C-alpha cells in the first residue's frame, strides 16, 4: 500500500478492492466495506452541509459502536479533525475538550445528550449529532431490542442545533463527499486526549501518516501466525484509546481485516463472538485476561481460533501470563507504548523467545534512549533510566500546551524525543524491561490517571488543607487509587466517604480514590515540595509485608 495516502483514501482503496468483505461485525450484524463506505460518505456530506469545514474539530462522544466508526471516518472524509473522547466524561470534561480544540460540533450518544447540552452553555460547539446505541442495526433488531427492553436509551431534544444521526445519514445515502485525492497525509487527522501528570488531559495531535504507519507496523507483528488481511480482531480496548486504534481500528485502513465491535465488555458475548466468527486476535488490558481466566463459564466455549492475544495499557502480571499459557497453550503477547508515541514502542514478536519480565522488543520504527533523567546521559545496557522515544514522523508537541510540551519533548543531537517519564532497562537484544513509572501517574484499569488532578479536586473541599494521591499495587486493576488527606484543625466529622462523595461529579468514575487515609501532616522537602515518592514507598512496604509469609507458631 502507498504510504502517501490519507486515512479516508487508504480505506476507500481497500473498500474498492473488496467491497463485499466483512469490515465490521457489531452486535451480530455484519457490515461490508461497501456499506461502511456508503455510510461514512453520507456522514461526511451531512457534516459538510451542516457547516463543518476542512481542519475544523469535531468531538466524538460515543462508545465503541458502528456509529463511532461511521462518525470518525465521516469526519475525516469531510476534511475535519476528529477528537474522540471517552463516553464517561462529565459535562465539564466535555466542555474542556471542546474549548481546547475549538470544536464546532459534537457527535454523541443519546444517553449523554444531557451532558452535551450542559457543556454547550460554556463551550465552543454549535452543532450536535445524536445517536442511539442501535441506530444502525436492522429494523427488526431495533424492534425486538425495544420490545424486550434490552436497549439502553436516553432522551434527545429537538432543538435547531440538534440532528439525529439516522436522519442525517438517510437524507444523504448515495451522495459522495469531495475527493481525498491530493490531500495531505501529514495533516492532523485526530486529537487523542491522554492523562498523566497534569490536572487536565492533554491533546495529542496525530496525522494520517502517523496513524497509518503505526497501525501497519503493530498489526503486522502477528504476520508469522496468519496473513494480516485474514485477521479477525475483537478489541475490548476503546476506540478513543491509542491501543484500540493501532491494534484494532487500523485494520480497516491498512490490511483490510475484519473488526468485531462490542459497546461494552461482556465476557459471554466476547466468548460467543470468538467462537462464532473465528476471531484470531484479542486485544485487552491485563485485567481483562484475569477476568477471562476466572470466568465460571469459560469451559463452555471454544476459543481455539485465538492465535494472537495482546495485552497493553499496563504491566501484565507474570502469574496471569503463566496461567494463560497453561490454560490455552499459547502466550499472551505483551507490549508497551503511549499516545504520544502513537502506540507501540516495543511489542512481543511471536517468533521471539521472550526473556522473563520483558515487555517486548523495540519496534523497528522507534529510536530510543535510556538516560539519567537529571544529567540526560545515556545509561549502559542493563541499567535502568528514563525512556526517551523518537520516530519519523512523530508527535512533537501537545495541542495548545506549550509548557507541557517543553517539559515532555526534548531535542538531543538534532533529534526530537518524547520523555515517557517511565523507568526502564534495555538489554543487548533490544528487549525492554519495565522498572517503575513516574510517581505522578497512576495506572488504574489500563487508564493513566493524574495524581495531581485528584489532589486538586480533594483540595477544593472546604475541610481539606492538603492531599497526596498515590497508586497502590493491585493484581486485578494494576493500581488502586489511595488519597492521604490533612484536614483543617477546626474540621469535625468529615469522613473518607464524605470526600469520595465530594469527588463524584467532579471526577470520572475510574479516577475516584478507593481509599482515604487521614494524616496530621504530609512529608515535604526543605523547599516545601510534597514528597509523594516517600508516601508511595511506605505503601509499597505495606504491600510487601502483606505478601511475606507469616512465621509459623510453635505448637502448644
Amino acid at each position: 500500500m502507498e504510504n502517501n495516502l490519507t486515512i479516508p483514501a487508504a480505506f476507500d482503496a481497500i473498500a474498492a478492492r473488496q467491497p463485499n468483505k466483512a469490515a465490521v461485525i457489531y452486535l451480530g450484524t455484519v457490515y461490508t466495506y461497501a456499506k461502511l463506505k456508503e455510510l461514512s460518505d453520507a456522514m461526511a456530506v451531512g457534516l459538510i452541509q451542516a457547516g463543518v469545514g476542512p481542519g475544523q474539530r469535531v468531538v466524538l462522544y460515543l462508545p465503541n459502536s458502528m456509529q463511532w466508526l461511521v462518525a470518525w471516518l465521516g469526519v475525516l472524509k469531510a476534511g475535519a479533525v476528529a477528537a474522540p473522547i471517552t463516553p464517561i466524561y462529565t459535562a465539564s470534561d466535555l466542555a474542556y475538550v471542546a474549548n481546547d480544540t475549538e470544536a464546532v460540533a459534537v457527535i454523541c450518544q443519546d444517553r449523554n445528550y444531557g451532558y452535551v447540552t450542559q457543556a454547550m452553555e460554556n463551550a465552543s460547539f454549535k452543532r450536535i449529532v445524536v445517536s442511539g446505541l442501535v441506530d444502525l442495526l436492522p429494523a427488526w433488531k431495533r424492534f425486538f431490542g425495544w420490545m424486550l427492553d434490552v436497549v439502553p436509551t436516553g432522551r434527545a431534544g429537538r432543538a435547531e442545533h440538534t440532528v439525529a444521526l439516522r436522519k442525517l445519514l438517510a437524507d444523504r445515502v448515495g451522495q459522495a463527499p469531495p475527493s481525498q485525492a491530493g490531500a495531505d497525509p501529514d495533516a492532523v487527522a485526530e486529537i487523542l486526549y491522554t492523562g498523566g501528570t497534569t490536572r487536565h488531559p492533554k491533546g495529542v495531535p496525530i496525522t494520517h501518516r502517523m496513524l497509518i504507519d503505526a497501525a501497519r507496523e503493530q498489526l503486522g507483528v502477528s504476520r508469522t501466525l496468519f496473513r494480516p488481511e485474514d485477521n479477525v480482531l475483537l478489541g475490548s480496548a476503546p476506540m478513543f484509546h491509542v491501543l484500540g486504534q493501532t491494534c484494532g481500528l487500523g485494520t480497516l485502513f491498512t490490511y483490510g481485516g475484519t473488526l468485531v465491535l462490542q459497546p461494552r465488555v461482556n465476557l459471554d458475548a466476547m466468548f460467543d463472538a470468538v467462537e462464532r466468527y473465528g476471531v484470531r486476535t484479542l486485544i485487552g488490558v491485563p485485567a481483562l485476561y484475569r477476568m477471562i481466566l476466572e470466568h465460571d463459564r469459560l469451559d463452555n466455549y471454544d476459543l481455539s481460533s485465538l492465535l494472537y492475544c495482546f495485552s497493553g495499557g499496563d504491566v501484565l502480571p507474570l502469574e496471569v501470563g503463566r496461567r494463560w499459557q497453561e490454560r490455552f497453550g499459547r502466550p499472551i503477547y505483551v507490549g508497551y507504548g503511549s499516545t504520544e508515541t502513537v502506540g507501540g514502542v516495543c511489542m512481543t514478536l511471536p517468533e521471539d523467545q521472550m526473556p522473563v519480565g520483558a515487555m517486548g522488543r523495540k519496534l523497528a520504527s522507534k529510536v530510543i534512549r535510556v538516560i539519567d533523567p537529571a544529567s540526560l546521559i545515556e545509561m549502559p545496557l542493563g541499567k535502568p533510566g528514563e525512556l526517551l522515544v523518537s520516530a519519523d514522523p512523530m508527535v512533537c508537541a501537545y495541542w495548545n500546551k506549550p509548557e507541557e510540551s517543553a517539559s515532555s519533548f526534548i531535542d538531543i543531537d538534532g533529534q526530537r524525543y518524547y520523555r515517557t517519564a517511565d523507568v526502564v532497562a534495555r538489554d543487548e537484544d533490544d528487549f525492554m524491561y519495565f522498572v517503575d513509572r513516574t510517581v505522578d501517574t497512576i495506572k488504574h484499569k489500563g487508564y493513566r490517571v493524574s495524581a495531581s488532578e485528584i489532589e486538586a479536586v480533594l483540595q477544593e473541599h472546604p475541610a481539606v488543607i492538603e492531599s497526596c494521591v498515590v497508586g497502590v499495587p493491585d493484581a486485578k486493576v494494576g493500581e488502586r487509587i489511595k488519597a492521604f488527606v490533612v484536614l483543617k484543625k477546626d474540621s469535625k466529622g468529615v469522613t473518607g466517604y464524605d470526600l469520595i462523595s465530594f469527588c463524584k461529579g467532579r471526577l470520572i468514575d475510574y479516577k475516584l480514590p478507593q481509599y482515604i487515609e487521614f494524616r496530621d501532616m504530609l512529608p515535604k522537602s526543605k523547599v516545601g515540595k510534597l514528597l509523594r515518592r516517600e508516601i508511595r514507598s511506605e505503601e509499597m512496604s505495606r504491600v510487601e509485608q502483606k505478601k511475606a509469609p507469616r512465621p509459623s507458631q510453635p505448637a502448644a
Side-chain angles (χ1 to χ4, degrees), residues 306-496:
L306 288 175
L307 299 178
Y308 187 77
C309 297
F310 179 74
S311 174
D314 207 346
V315 178
L316 180 75
L318 293 177
E319 168 256 346
V320 173
R322 176 187 56 78
R323 288 173 58 196
W324 189 274
Q325 178 77 50
E326 292 173 354
R327 175 65 179 76
F328 294 103
R330 291 185 177 275
I332 296 176
Y333 299 98
V334 298
Y336 166 90
S338 69
T339 308
E340 292 86 346
T341 59
V342 197
V345 173
C346 58
M347 294 178 71
T348 308
L349 305 180
E351 58 270 28
D352 281 338
Q353 292 296 318
M354 279 286 289
V356 176
M359 59 182 188
R361 187 197 292 268
K362 182 187 76 68
L363 292 173
S365 65
K366 301 299 187 290
V367 176
I368 67 171
R369 289 176 181 249
V370 179
I371 64 163
D372 177 286
S375 67
L376 304 184
I377 295 174
E378 196 151 4
M379 303 297 289
L381 289 176
K383 297 294 184 180
E386 182 185 359
L387 175 64
L388 307 186
V389 183
S390 183
D392 184 22
M394 71 170 285
V395 175
C396 292
Y398 293 116
W399 182 269
N400 288 340
K401 294 284 186 295
E403 292 183 7
E404 288 87 341
S405 297
S407 63
S408 296
F409 296 88
I410 186 171
D411 293 311
I412 300 178
D413 297 335
Q415 189 159 6
R416 189 78 159 165
Y417 287 87
Y418 166 60
R419 301 190 66 163
T420 67
D422 285 332
V423 179
V424 307
R426 174 188 188 184
D427 69 17
E428 61 275 7
D429 296 317
D430 273 344
F431 286 111
M432 309 290 292
Y433 303 81
F434 184 83
V435 178
D436 198 4
R437 66 173 52 92
T438 171
V439 294
D440 292 331
T441 305
I442 300 167
K443 269 295 183 72
H444 178 66
K445 295 183 177 178
Y447 292 99
R448 295 173 69 191
V449 179
S450 166
S452 58
E453 177 183 2
I454 303 171
E455 290 166 359
V457 170
L458 284 167
Q459 285 163 200
E460 291 174 4
H461 192 285
V464 175
I465 190 170
E466 288 183 312
S467 65
C468 175
V469 174
V470 300
V472 180
D474 182 275
K476 291 188 176 181
V477 296
E479 290 180 305
R480 292 196 179 274
I481 302 170
K482 183 172 183 177
F484 297 81
V485 173
V486 178
L487 297 177
K488 295 177 181 177
K489 291 183 179 180
D490 58 350
S491 298
K492 295 181 180 180
V494 177
T495 66

